[in-house]
Amino acid sequence: MSANHSLILFEGDVTGNFSGIFDSFGLKFTGGVERATGLAEIWEFTGWPRKGKPKKLIHKAALYNGMWTAVLDREMTMILNQAQCEACAKRWDIKIFGYMVESVSGSCAMYYFAPERVRGLNIQNFEVLEEFGEPLQQENGISMQDMLGDGAMRISRRIGFSDSLFAHPTSKVLILELEDPQREAAHQERSDIMHAQAKRRSSVPAPKKPEDRHEKPWWKLW
């Protein structure tokens, strides 16, 4: 089963503390909140760049299920920032679980903080680069190959949150507006690179036409 997905779970209801939670990840919650119903709206509202919005803004979907507050991370970066995850878990004295899966490239990462890091797994290009701590009880029966498919999602469901809740029509999915300074800087850097490349291309002289070496008769004037 192919997957391209990233989810991070925060223990308890942190919907009233989004500013503090996202501050731990270098993101600023602007206070902008929308509601979304179904995956089509979620994907539309969390796409980047979003039409009519500054490029420094990103949007994430959040949902509380009575046990965990889940954040759908389209940028697939939050759970990879282990230092930030652990700092956030310690600051608010909560547990954090998250994963990212990109099965086409053979990549998967899964980390659990309680609040210090107690479990970590990082697979890149189908090779295990890091395995930290003892396997979680919820990992029983899930192989490394499964992790590149739906293994991480199955572990999340056993821990207490099913990603399918985002698609349920009765779920109250929140779309959060966040400022990401790094995203704006990265976008500007890409723009500068593209501009420089275009400038170099325009400064290269056009190739000369091949000289016609065919000798013309002395009487041919053209």
Side-chain angles (χ1 to χ4, degrees):
M1 180 183 295
S2 179
N4 187 352
H5 187 52
S6 184
L7 200 69
I8 183 166
L9 310 181
F10 300 92
E11 182 185 27
D13 184 0
V14 302
T15 57
N17 188 29
F18 283 138
S19 293
I21 292 293
F22 285 108
D23 178 68
S24 300
F25 293 87
L27 301 172
K28 180 182 178 182
F29 177 48
T30 69
V33 178
E34 300 169 276
R35 298 263 184 185
T37 302
L39 289 180
E41 281 194 355
I42 292 173
W43 248 242
E44 177 187 354
F45 293 163
T46 58
W48 186 91
R50 187 164 163 184
K51 187 176 180 180
K53 297 283 189 178
K55 289 183 171 60
K56 67 179 179 179
L57 296 180
I58 60 174
H59 297 80
K60 298 188 185 296
L63 177 62
Y64 175 59
N65 75 337
M67 184 175 180
W68 297 91
T69 301
V71 173
L72 186 62
D73 180 23
R74 292 285 299 276
E75 287 70 34
M76 303 179 75
T77 58
M78 291 180 69
I79 195 60
L80 296 177
N81 291 319
Q82 298 181 57
Q84 294 177 340
C85 287
E86 187 166 6
C88 181
K90 288 181 176 179
R91 178 181 178 185
W92 304 109
D93 193 24
I94 59 175
K95 297 175 182 177
I96 292 178
F97 171 82
Y99 62 83
M100 64 77 62
V101 182
E102 195 177 60
S103 55
V104 174
S105 66
S107 301
C108 171
M110 179 190 72
Y111 293 99
Y112 185 67
F113 305 85
E116 69 284 345
R117 187 180 72 156
V118 296
R119 176 62 173 151
L121 179 65
N122 192 334
I123 303 172
Q124 298 291 328
N125 196 25
F126 301 96
E127 293 186 8
V128 178
L129 296 186
E130 176 191 31
E131 185 171 10
F132 176 86
E134 294 296 322
L136 303 174
Q137 180 182 353
Q138 291 84 356
E139 294 180 55
N140 289 341
I142 296 176
S143 67
M144 288 291 180
Q145 186 62 38
D146 292 334
M147 293 299 295
L148 295 175
D150 66 346
M153 283 81 92
R154 287 159 57 189
I155 294 170
S156 176
R157 292 165 192 161
R158 293 174 182 178
I159 284 176
F161 187 92
S162 172
D163 57 300
S164 64
L165 286 176
F166 280 99
H168 199 281
T170 64
S171 293
K172 297 179 179 179
V173 180
L174 305 177
I175 305 297
L176 313 176
E177 185 179 79
L178 305 161
E179 287 187 10
D180 183 357
Q182 291 187 352
R183 174 58 64 104
E184 185 176 27
H187 174 74
Q188 186 60 49
E189 182 180 0
R190 285 195 297 270
S191 297
D192 292 343
I193 291 173
M194 292 177 66
H195 178 72
Q197 290 174 341
K199 188 175 181 180
R200 283 198 298 271
R201 286 195 297 268
S202 64
S203 65
V204 175
K208 295 181 179 180
K209 292 181 64 176
E211 184 178 344
D212 187 359
R213 297 183 179 276
H214 179 69
E215 292 186 7
K216 300 176 182 177
W218 65 269
W219 48 263
K220 203 156 181 82
L221 301 179
W222 62 88

